[in-house]
Amino acid sequence: MKSNRMKSGVERAPHRSLLKGMGYTARELSLPVIGVINSKNESIPGHIHLDTISEAVKSGIRMAGGMPVEVPCIGVCDGTAMNHPGMNFSLPTRELIADSIEAMAEANAFDAMVLIPNCDKVVPGMLMAAARVNIPAIVVSGGPMLAGRWKGKELDLTMMFEAVGSVSAGSMTEEELCEMEEHACPGCGSCSGMFTANSMNCLTETIGMGLPGNGTIPAVYGERIRLAKEAGWQVMELLKRDLRPRDIMTREAFENALTMDMALGCSTNSILHLPAIAHEAGIVIDLDIVNEISSKTPNLCKLSPAGPHHMQDLYEAGGVQAVMKELAAIGLLHLNLPTVSGRTIGETAGEAQVLNRNVIRSADNAYSETGGIAVLRGNLAPDGAVVKQSAVAPEMMVHQGPARVFESEEEAYRAILGGKIRKGDVIVIRYEGPKGGPGMKEMLSPTAAIAGMGLDKDVALITDGRFSGATRGASIGHVSPEAMSGGPIAIVEEGDLISINIPEGRLDLVLDEDVFRDRMNKWKAPRPKVTTGYLGRYARMVTSANTGAVLK
């Protein structure tokens, strides 16, 4: 056991004395040491209950003959960090999470790990750490929040952000907005739509690093606690078999995850996180494979913000396993891959049933023949840009309009709420990429304001930043190279025509080639917004969005 280097032999008597000072017995110290990485905190509704999940995991580990050792992990709520300087720190925490877990796992000589995330950057950060440390590991999330209800209709966080725009447009009163906020988030769990957190928890199942149900069992169900106990038990089985994350997270597993991504219509942030996780496993996932997989994968589900359904509906319809079954039936999954459950992907899919065809459509009745996410290229995004095409109105799949250029999210948001955006406009928000932000802020506030004002079928938004999984409309992010690196988005001027053609995968600045070249030659990088502290270091080390925004 790896932990023996910390606890076995005469020379480790001082170490054992410290462990006994915490109450560990000699009997416990003879057992494998299992790190329980708990991201519980009181600043995220998805994490407020993770102490309960952790206790269940530790029960499972003890039942199976292990010694659980719980250690903490940070986490940021993208909802409460939205549209203020706190959002600059959200994506960068992914790297801090991976680094800190590596440090704790190695310093404490863990034999195996159970990773307990739930929201946004925490899930990919933990998977990156699992791949890097490469000891037997399993992920068990805290589960999704139930949808709220207000005036007889289901409600979620997306609708709250869009309601702000509705108040600005005069179609909703402030009193109604206050009533909504009492009901939108009814309890613990990751926000109830197919936003980033739930996207990544569902993809964790598909990669093979989470037990069936990891992505969809609601946070408040007793079944979630039972799943956590099973995860604690199962990590001991993984240790006995010496089945490690890199045995599971193979290239074929990432192809399965991208296929599921397209079928579910996941958050565009998955196209940042999957390449970053793969990078830690020594695998290159580029944007070309995203379009290749999307082109042959039908979009089978439309969960909020793309459609009316929520995570509890997907759970009741059969969950991720049922979607796997549909994809397996048309030959789109690698079926012989191992998972932390002890069964293969094919065996898991074979045991599933689709229980609601309104939520999970069959391939011959798909919402579209292609997947939920598309990568666009063109002279405005030579290295690619990403859009959640399943959440774009048909009217905006092909669009050309004048650029309205803003140097920050805040500037654009003020213009939107101030009624300065007109039908047909293409909003350009730049210098918000990984280097330029720094931190590549998630921008739900401007996109939700556009939707709330009833302009989502008339206005597009492009940025070198990124969007929340809760964003809908013609919102094109991850434009690469970013403005701070001299990408063409930096030379767009007010009134320039921008052409968007999602079916053809194009994003272009309609400009004479000589003028384009002259502007590029004259461009000079502005002063960095931040040069000190963690964000300053991050800005100097981070790579482009098209490579997953990993650190050099």
Side-chain angles (χ1 to χ4, degrees), residues 161-178:
F161 277 94
E162 292 180 2
V164 175
S166 298
V167 171
S168 297
S171 58
M172 175 180 282
T173 67
E174 287 190 37
E175 289 74 19
E176 288 175 312
L177 182 68
C178 289

Side-chain angles (χ1 to χ4, degrees), residues 1 7 18 22 27-28 40 65 147 157 234 239 270 287-288 312 367 384 441 484-485 503 516 522 532:
M1 291 187 295
K7 63 183 183 178
L18 290 166
M22 291 184 280
R27 191 185 302 277
E28 285 177 294
K40 192 267 184 189
L157 186 66
Q234 194 61 27
L239 181 59
S270 63
L287 296 186
D288 291 329
Q312 66 215 60
Y367 287 102
K441 287 190 296 188
M484 197 66 183
S485 297
F516 187 99
K522 290 179 178 177
T532 59

Side-chain angles (χ1 to χ4, degrees), residues 85-304:
M87 181 50 75
N88 293 88
F89 286 88
S90 177
L91 181 61
T93 63
R94 187 187 71 184
E95 320 310 309
L96 286 175
I97 289 163
D99 290 349
S100 64
I101 293 172
E102 176 192 15
M104 293 300 283
E106 295 294 348
N108 293 287
F110 292 151
D111 295 305
M113 295 187 293
V114 180
L115 303 155
I116 309 174
N118 213 23
C119 292
D120 293 285
K121 312 302 117 24
V122 188
V123 183
M126 286 191 172
L127 286 168
M128 290 165 68
R132 188 187 302 174
V133 177
N134 202 35
I135 57 176
I138 189 169
V139 174
V140 57
S141 77
M145 183 186 293
L146 296 175
R149 289 192 68 81
W150 182 63
K151 293 187 174 180
K153 295 182 179 179
E154 289 193 339
L155 187 64
D156 61 33
L157 186 66
T158 301
M159 298 169 193
M160 282 307 308
F161 277 94
E162 292 180 2
V164 175
S166 298
V167 171
S168 297
S171 58
M172 175 180 282
T173 67
E174 287 190 37
E175 289 74 19
E176 288 175 312
L177 182 68
C178 289
E179 284 183 35
M180 281 182 70
E181 73 180 59
E182 296 289 336
H183 302 283
C185 298
C188 64
S190 48
C191 295
S192 56
M194 187 54 78
F195 312 148
T196 304
N198 293 324
S199 294
M200 293 309 302
N201 282 322
C202 288
L203 298 183
T204 297
E205 274 192 58
T206 315
I207 289 172
M209 288 296 294
L211 294 174
N214 178 71
T216 59
I217 299 170
V220 295
Y221 285 13
E223 188 180 353
R224 174 62 56 176
I225 296 173
R226 299 198 299 274
L227 184 78
K229 289 179 180 178
E230 285 297 321
W233 179 280
Q234 194 61 27
V235 77
M236 297 300 293
E237 295 298 312
L238 297 175
L239 181 59
K240 290 174 187 174
R241 295 173 56 194
D242 196 29
L243 185 63
R244 302 180 180 227
R246 291 194 190 185
D247 300 326
I248 295 169
M249 290 195 279
T250 61
R251 181 172 186 82
E252 290 78 14
F254 284 102
E255 290 175 1
N256 279 352
L258 284 168
T259 301
M260 179 63 68
D261 194 338
M262 301 308 160
L264 288 175
C266 289
S267 164
T268 52
N269 283 315
S270 63
I271 308 303
L272 275 178
H273 299 322
L274 289 175
I277 300 163
H279 173 75
E280 295 292 348
I283 297 163
V284 176
I285 298 293
D286 59 28
L287 296 186
D288 291 329
I289 193 174
V290 174
N291 264 358
E292 179 186 329
I293 289 175
S294 183
S295 69
K296 62 185 180 183
T297 305
N299 180 211
L300 304 180
C301 302
K302 277 192 181 289
L303 281 74
S304 177

Side-chain angles (χ1 to χ4, degrees), residues 9-133:
V10 173
E11 67 278 11
R12 295 295 181 257
H15 305 62
R16 292 192 296 274
S17 72
L18 290 166
L19 293 165
K20 288 179 177 179
M22 291 184 280
Y24 292 111
T25 67
R27 191 185 302 277
E28 285 177 294
L29 295 179
S30 70
L31 304 174
V33 177
I34 313 300
V36 178
I37 318 298
N38 186 5
S39 58
K40 192 267 184 189
N41 67 47
E42 296 182 353
S43 68
I44 316 178
H47 292 229
I48 191 71
H49 64 305
L50 294 188
D51 50 351
T52 302
I53 301 297
S54 177
E55 287 304 316
V57 166
K58 289 189 283 186
S59 293
I61 291 169
R62 292 188 182 106
M63 285 190 291
M67 171 182 154
V69 174
E70 183 176 344
V71 296
C73 174
I74 65 168
V76 168
C77 177
D78 281 19
T80 56
M82 196 71 66
N83 197 227
H84 66 79
M87 181 50 75
N88 293 88
F89 286 88
S90 177
L91 181 61
T93 63
R94 187 187 71 184
E95 320 310 309
L96 286 175
I97 289 163
D99 290 349
S100 64
I101 293 172
E102 176 192 15
M104 293 300 283
E106 295 294 348
N108 293 287
F110 292 151
D111 295 305
M113 295 187 293
V114 180
L115 303 155
I116 309 174
N118 213 23
C119 292
D120 293 285
K121 312 302 117 24
V122 188
V123 183
M126 286 191 172
L127 286 168
M128 290 165 68
R132 188 187 302 174
V133 177

